[in-house]
Amino acid sequence: MEDPETFDALPIRIDPVSKAIGTTSSSKALNEELEKLNALHRSILALETPVPPPPMPVNQKRTAGITKLRETGNDAFRKGKHAEAIKYYTLGLQMALGRPLWEPQGLVREEVAGIYANRAQAHMAMQNWVEGAVDAEASVEMKRVGNAKAWWRRGKCLMEMGRWEEAKEWIGKGLELEGSESDLTSLLKEIEKHVDVQKA
Amino acid sequence: MFEFDWYSLLLPLAYVGVLFGSLVTFSSLYRKRKAIASATLAPWFPPHLQRNIYLSLLHLDPAEGDEKAVAVPQSVVRAALLRRATEDIHRIIQIRTAKQACATLLQRGSVGDDLWQRFLRAEKEMEDELRDVVMEANALSPNWGQTIFQSANEIAANTMLRDRLDEIQAQTESEKQWWEKRRASIQSEFMKELDSSAASSPTKIPQKAGSEDDTILVESPTSTPSSTRKRKGKK
């Protein structure tokens, strides 16, 4: 954008039927960008208003759906049907991440963090330590503070896999952000005890 | 009545002439070079692809006289403008984060003046670009200019968030493979140790095998150095 009055004309054209924008160029960046543009166009067409509404207030329909899936998952978990709970959580995640991109990201973070933490728990109940660790990490990534459960869950998973050093580091980081959360401190003590025994 | 000695005045005059002449030449040369340098200053950002797409769309008139050429629907134009605003948000973030660092580096003399010039130009261009986008938005839909950057901001943040999540979830496969391998080696180690200790000294096992099964195997990390290193690389 050297000059506000000029632009580079790009070899793009529009499909008369689907209204999708295509290009004759083989440039990778351009093709990727056009793909994103077409996706955005489709989601704009699904709107009732001509332009995306401002981020606030939010459409409550999707929020209700996500909450419901999460509750169903929680119920299944409580009844001990862990695989089923994971299925519901996964659906809830898809729905939460399928929010139109212009809706507030803070809301998405909040919802997704909760569901990931729950799914991590369900995976842990089935002794899938790898999936549990990854989900808990995703949850922490979405919500770093006030998410002690997810910090604890990844620490526990790492511990179960015998990755003591990593677990220690992880819990230490968690304690920095969460203050002296009792669950985290007790887990850290457990890990430290083990590491000490190992060294001795 | 005045006896003017022109010859003795010639020397100072020539001196002054040469002095000014060289000054003028130097100054004009210097300015010319500076102008050329600033004109060839590399732009801060790469070409604005989204802006080019948007403007290309606007100029995509059925000028070729083609029968099948159709007018671009307004919704596509709006989507293109929103993409452009999103890219602008990325650029604004870059400029904001770079500004402090750039100013500090310039003060310390760590970077040249032309970098700062490039930066200032990029900043000014961004301002024009934002104004332009707001105007276009208002033209496309009344009052959209007030909210387009709010929407674009959320889009930018949401995209980053999803990319990050995909990155994290993508680890699952390799981690799983590592864990399978690790578990297999743990089991074989365990069996071996069980055999050998049963033969020689049975005192060590009972106290450890109680709580965690994998404890013993972690005790001998030297036996699985490849897997440990692999995990670190991935992290």
Side-chain angles (χ1 to χ4, degrees):
Chain A
M1 104 185 170
E2 290 76 27
D3 184 354
E5 300 301 321
T6 59
F7 71 99
D8 296 332
L10 297 166
I12 53 178
R13 59 196 155 68
I14 182 161
D15 189 282
V17 187
S18 66
K19 307 281 181 212
I21 308 295
T23 177
T24 47
S25 138
S26 55
S27 148
K28 193 164 163 250
L30 179 59
N31 276 304
E32 273 172 15
E33 174 54 35
L34 286 180
E35 218 166 88
K36 284 184 194 155
L37 171 64
N38 286 328
L40 183 68
H41 179 221
R42 278 194 296 277
S43 56
I44 286 189
L45 279 185
L47 284 172
E48 289 154 14
T49 48
V51 294
M56 290 305 224
V58 187
N59 181 1
Q60 292 299 320
K61 226 159 67 186
R62 196 180 279 267
T63 313
I66 294 165
T67 317
K68 198 167 166 234
L69 278 170
R70 188 176 156 178
E71 293 293 324
T72 325
N74 288 351
D75 284 344
F77 181 81
R78 257 180 248 119
K79 284 179 197 150
K81 297 177 191 160
H82 300 153
E84 206 172 300
I86 290 174
K87 213 175 71 196
Y88 282 120
Y89 290 143
T90 309
L91 283 175
L93 277 177
Q94 275 169 6
M95 197 160 179
L97 291 176
R99 260 185 202 288
L101 288 175
W102 52 80
E103 291 193 4
Q105 54 121 0
L107 184 70
V108 177
R109 275 177 186 273
E110 190 71 28
E111 285 169 352
V112 167
I115 304 180
Y116 267 125
N118 287 7
R119 202 171 77 172
Q121 192 185 17
H123 275 306
M124 284 170 75
M126 293 175 74
Q127 305 213 325
N128 294 334
W129 307 121
V130 175
E131 287 91 337
V134 170
D135 277 353
E137 190 188 355
S139 174
V140 166
E141 183 67 33
M142 289 299 101
K143 192 181 166 198
R144 295 196 91 81
V145 182
N147 203 0
K149 271 190 212 160
W151 283 103
W152 184 86
R153 280 172 196 161
R154 180 166 166 86
K156 181 83 181 160
C157 284
L158 291 175
M159 201 178 113
E160 291 289 346
M161 288 192 279
R163 291 152 73 166
W164 300 94
E165 288 299 330
E166 248 177 281
K168 195 175 153 189
E169 200 181 305
W170 176 261
I171 296 292
K173 237 193 281 173
L175 278 173
E176 268 170 36
L177 286 167
E178 299 289 345
S180 48
E181 178 79 27
S182 62
D183 285 346
L184 287 180
T185 32
S186 59
L187 189 64
L188 187 63
K189 264 186 208 140
E190 205 179 316
I191 294 170
E192 271 169 354
K193 212 167 77 191
H194 182 91
V195 174
D196 286 347
V197 167
Q198 227 177 300
K199 273 185 193 150
Chain B
M1 41 177 166
F2 270 115
E3 200 60 23
F4 225 83
D5 187 358
W6 287 102
Y7 283 102
S8 65
L9 205 60
L10 200 65
L11 200 64
L13 276 180
Y15 172 73
V16 168
V18 167
L19 185 71
F20 272 95
S22 57
L23 276 180
V24 164
T25 335
F26 175 77
S27 133
S28 79
L29 268 181
Y30 178 76
R31 276 183 207 187
K32 232 180 253 168
R33 282 208 191 141
K34 212 173 163 188
I36 290 171
S38 81
T40 55
L41 224 51
W44 189 268
F45 290 115
H48 200 317
L49 182 64
Q50 285 79 1
R51 177 174 178 271
N52 285 337
I53 290 178
Y54 175 75
L55 289 170
S56 301
L57 276 177
L58 285 189
H59 291 82
L60 201 67
D61 296 324
E64 299 100 59
D66 253 344
E67 291 300 306
K68 37 175 202 164
V70 279
V72 180
Q74 282 290 298
S75 53
V76 176
V77 178
R78 288 197 201 103
L81 187 65
L82 200 53
R83 288 289 315 160
R84 181 176 162 188
T86 311
E87 173 63 21
D88 287 344
I89 294 279
H90 286 302
R91 291 185 176 204
I92 293 171
I93 294 173
Q94 278 183 38
I95 282 192
R96 283 210 188 132
T97 45
K99 188 163 191 180
Q100 190 63 41
C102 252
T104 320
L105 285 176
L106 185 77
Q107 265 176 7
R108 287 196 198 140
S110 307
V111 294
D113 190 50
D114 57 340
L115 189 88
W116 185 245
Q117 290 302 325
R118 280 171 61 196
F119 182 79
L120 287 182
R121 207 167 78 176
E123 205 178 18
K124 207 181 143 290
E125 275 175 1
M126 260 338 280
E127 271 170 32
D128 294 343
E129 164 71 9
L130 295 191
R131 211 172 300 126
D132 196 34
V133 168
V134 168
M135 263 163 51
E136 296 278 332
N138 279 332
L140 283 173
S141 171
N143 292 328
W144 192 26
Q146 289 166 13
T147 59
I148 182 169
F149 278 109
Q150 288 178 32
S151 301
N153 193 18
E154 296 298 336
I155 290 179
N158 267 313
T159 318
M160 273 197 276
L161 182 156
R162 280 164 177 74
D163 287 348
R164 184 78 193 99
L165 278 183
D166 287 344
E167 219 173 88
I168 290 176
Q169 290 291 319
Q171 300 169 16
T172 316
E173 225 15 74
S174 54
E175 292 260 321
K176 245 184 186 165
Q177 279 171 6
W178 168 82
W179 174 233
E180 288 301 322
K181 254 194 232 158
R182 169 94 192 206
R183 197 155 56 178
S185 78
I186 281 176
Q187 266 164 5
S188 64
E189 282 285 316
F190 185 65
M191 296 312 281
K192 239 186 262 167
E193 204 147 314
L194 209 65
D195 288 348
S196 63
S197 60
S200 57
S201 63
T203 45
K204 217 181 168 189
I205 300 299
Q207 60 174 52
K208 307 233 156 150
S211 55
E212 284 110 21
D213 299 352
D214 30 342
T215 321
I216 290 161
L217 327 178
V218 185
E219 261 195 308
S220 50
T222 40
S223 60
T224 54
S226 61
S227 55
T228 337
R229 199 169 303 143
K230 207 170 158 203
R231 160 165 56 84
K232 280 206 175 122
K234 236 166 263 143
K235 225 208 141 196

